[in-house]
Amino acid sequence: MKIRKEDTVLVVSGKDKGKKGKVRRVLPDENKVIVEGVAMMKRHTKAGRGKVKQGGIVDMEAAIDISKVMLICKRCDKPTRVGFHTVEDGKKVRFCHSCNEVIE
Ligand SMILES: [Zn+2]
């Protein structure tokens, strides 16, 4: 996956275009990501036992297509395409196409 949890990404299309946020979750099977503060939706919760005593509406992020986000490089602070290098031990590492910095 080009995008990983804890990455900062820029939304490049859809109604949240231009928003930046941190990736909360990556859903590889669906090619989707959940980004903090992006694609907010209301979800109705039911009252139940345990922690949730009151039912109600909570705001939460919907998953958005991974193609709608671009990684923001920590070094050059720009939205960038991600490339992959294979290093000596066969591991793949990501790198920034703008500044060539390896992204962990
Ligand atoms: Zn960079």
Side-chain angles (χ1 to χ4, degrees):
M1 294 297 275
K2 291 187 173 183
I3 305 290
R4 291 180 193 164
K5 200 180 164 186
E6 303 289 306
D7 282 344
T8 301
V9 294
L10 174 74
V11 181
V12 292
S13 70
K15 73 177 170 68
D16 287 305
K17 189 175 173 179
K19 277 193 187 172
K20 286 180 191 175
K22 198 188 245 188
V23 176
R24 272 190 205 278
R25 271 181 75 190
V26 179
L27 310 168
D29 294 343
E30 299 167 55
N31 264 320
K32 286 182 174 178
V33 288
I34 294 174
V35 184
E36 235 173 60
V38 172
M40 297 305 291
M41 62 172 191
K42 307 272 186 206
R43 171 171 255 194
H44 295 262
T45 57
K46 282 181 196 160
R49 286 177 212 137
K51 280 183 193 166
V52 187
K53 286 186 178 143
Q54 282 186 313
I57 300 167
V58 291
D59 288 321
M60 63 174 292
E61 293 97 350
I64 58 169
D65 209 275
I66 211 156
S67 65
K68 289 185 179 171
V69 301
M70 277 182 94
L71 180 69
I72 296 174
C73 172
K74 282 179 189 154
R75 185 173 170 205
C76 60
D77 202 33
K78 284 180 198 156
T80 183
R81 288 196 301 133
V82 179
F84 286 96
H85 278 314
T86 306
V87 287
E88 281 172 20
D89 60 1
K91 248 171 57 179
K92 272 187 184 172
V93 294
R94 299 183 299 170
F95 71 95
C96 167
H97 263 282
S98 305
C99 68
N100 274 321
E101 178 82 353
V102 169
I103 304 160
E104 285 303 328

